[in-house]
Amino acid sequence: MSQSSSPSATSSTSSTSSDAPGRALVVGATGIVGQAVARRLVEEGWETHGLSRSGGTPHPEVRPVRADLGDAAGLAEALADVAPDFVAITAWTRMETEAENIRVNGGAVHDLLAALSPAGSLTHVALMTGLKHYLGPFEAYGKGEMPDTPFHEEEDRLPYPNFYYAQEDELVAASERDGFTWSVHRSHTVLGFATGNAMNMVATLCAYASLCRAQGMPFVFPGSEQQWNGLTDVTDADLLAEQMLWAARTPAGRDEAFNTANGDVFRWRWLWPQLAAWFDLEWEGYVDTPRPLEQSMTGMEPVWRDLAAAHDLVEPDLARVASWWHSDADLGREMEVVTDMNKSRTAGFSATRDTRAALLSYAQLYREARIIP
């Protein structure tokens, strides 16, 4: 199911005319960011291959590649004839411990780039990571000393094992071996379109709002006082896709790590009532203590199945639409999380997105796709 062009785009960064489209590989092509990258590549005329475990494709012109990032031999076989110029790595697998995250996700980058090495075709590889680069891994999230906000790319690494660091190290090592350039894109919470994704705030909030309507419940902000009252920012998947392609085509974007956020900041106490109004719901803000979704939405699976049947929704499995734990983690943070975008702006990437427009436009896409009623 493909996503239409984001109506929230407010500016665009043009590419250099000397770089004609070539062959691209999107790793994690069915995910939130992977879909956005694949769509943009197709629109710009690239021969686009999309790798996923399911072998699904987000766009009829994306050529599916079925492979498991945890299977080195299978990767090598599946990618033997692809020989891409540009690769966007947008997938990861959540494990129980950070040691396992490092082994699996650092190993996936290593094995992927090793599988592509024999062809000698790579010119640029873009890797998506995130703000846990500054906040710490799940096991040490927000603990100890962290850099002051807004986060800047030149901050030292935190003294904790972190699979983002392992992925970056594998990327740079392969670049030195094979001679391609690279870029790292550290996104905040990503707004976009996908189902079955482990970290999808828009779909989660849309499912939550739909269940509130079905049950006659108010739309209660589930997070912390800090997130309700404080400033924050997010990342539109389409903006991240745009930045990845810009970095591949622009000398100032190569061999660099960049933060990726929309360019605006907001408070949830401002945005929450507007999202509630879009769903025609009464709402409640933060009062006394967080009210996590994992608790309030326990047992809602049968209600969702009934909603899916009544409205002919395409996904009756609530777990494939909503990721309560992830939205609870983001909205429940007790620290300010804002990113600095001056590095990429100075390098020439000036694109922005309007967060409110992006959130509501993606909600509309989920409704039009019959993922929510």
Side-chain angles (χ1 to χ4, degrees):
M1 187 178 304
S2 63
Q3 173 193 333
S4 61
S5 297
S6 171
S8 58
T10 57
S11 66
S12 178
T13 302
S14 61
S15 63
T16 55
S17 60
S18 60
D19 290 327
R23 181 178 295 175
L25 173 68
V26 180
V27 180
T30 58
I32 295 176
V33 176
Q35 289 199 31
V37 176
R39 186 191 66 250
R40 182 171 284 271
L41 287 163
V42 168
E43 290 173 351
E44 294 188 10
W46 290 74
E47 178 188 310
T48 305
H49 299 250
L51 186 150
S52 67
R53 186 182 293 123
S54 67
T57 177
H59 190 286
E61 294 182 42
V62 173
R63 306 180 185 196
V65 178
R66 185 173 185 173
D68 188 331
L69 289 173
D71 177 4
L75 271 175
E77 181 179 357
L79 295 171
D81 298 322
V82 177
D85 305 292
F86 169 69
V87 174
I89 304 174
T90 70
W92 72 287
T93 303
R94 187 186 183 196
M95 306 301 293
E96 288 295 319
T97 67
E98 195 61 20
E100 281 294 286
N101 277 329
I102 290 168
R103 181 185 67 82
V104 170
N105 294 291
V109 173
H110 175 275
D111 292 345
L112 172 76
L113 297 178
L116 295 171
S117 181
S121 61
L122 287 176
T123 60
H124 188 86
V125 177
L127 169 68
M128 179 188 75
T129 63
L131 297 193
K132 287 189 290 297
H133 185 96
Y134 309 108
L135 291 164
F138 289 116
E139 292 173 11
Y141 189 74
K143 299 177 182 177
E145 288 192 20
M146 294 181 298
D148 284 338
T149 54
F151 297 133
H152 301 86
E153 292 90 342
E154 65 267 22
E155 306 288 355
D156 292 335
R157 290 181 173 183
L158 298 177
Y160 309 110
N162 191 320
F163 83 84
Y164 286 162
Y165 304 162
Q167 288 183 312
E168 287 190 9
D169 291 345
E170 293 288 356
L171 176 65
V172 172
S175 169
E176 292 172 350
R177 178 192 68 212
D178 293 337
F180 59 82
T181 60
W182 56 267
S183 57
V184 173
H185 305 265
R186 299 171 185 162
S187 61
H188 196 172
T189 301
V190 176
L191 307 184
F193 182 92
T195 55
N197 189 275
M199 300 192 298
N200 190 335
M201 179 177 281
V202 180
T204 298
L205 294 181
C206 286
Y208 173 43
S210 300
L211 287 165
C212 286
R213 285 199 66 179
Q215 296 291 93
M217 302 185 305
F219 190 52
V220 175
F221 181 73
S224 68
E225 183 177 14
Q226 165 63 44
Q227 294 306 308
W228 179 250
N229 290 317
L231 289 171
T232 190
D233 56 21
V234 294
T235 305
D236 189 318
D238 189 64
L239 179 80
L240 179 51
E242 186 173 354
Q243 191 191 56
M244 283 183 164
L245 270 67
W246 163 82
R249 292 167 161 166
T250 308
R254 297 168 185 159
D255 299 336
E256 298 285 353
F258 296 105
N259 291 334
T260 316
N262 286 351
D264 59 2
V265 293
F266 67 95
R267 302 180 201 274
W268 278 108
R269 71 186 189 201
W270 169 80
L271 186 53
W272 195 258
Q274 298 180 70
L275 182 58
W278 195 87
F279 282 96
D280 194 24
L281 286 169
E282 298 294 323
W283 60 274
E284 293 180 12
Y286 175 86
V287 179
D288 298 329
T289 188
R291 291 174 277 183
L293 294 171
E294 275 201 300
Q295 296 176 17
S296 64
M297 293 292 102
T298 297
M300 286 291 180
E301 291 81 6
V303 179
W304 184 262
R305 285 195 294 271
D306 290 344
L307 271 179
H311 295 275
D312 193 28
L313 303 184
V314 299
E315 184 51 76
D317 183 355
L318 181 58
R320 286 186 51 78
V321 181
S323 45
W324 307 129
W325 70 271
H326 173 255
S327 293
D328 280 343
D330 274 6
L331 297 176
R333 289 183 295 213
E334 297 291 347
M335 77 289 287
E336 179 182 72
V337 181
V338 182
T339 55
D340 182 85
M341 286 289 290
N342 282 330
K343 182 178 179 181
S344 59
R345 287 171 179 158
T346 300
F349 183 77
S350 58
T352 61
R353 297 292 187 274
D354 180 313
T355 293
R356 175 176 58 181
L359 178 61
L360 297 180
S361 68
Y362 285 125
Q364 182 63 33
L365 285 172
Y366 282 113
R367 178 166 285 172
E368 292 173 355
R370 291 188 294 110
I371 292 169
I372 62 170

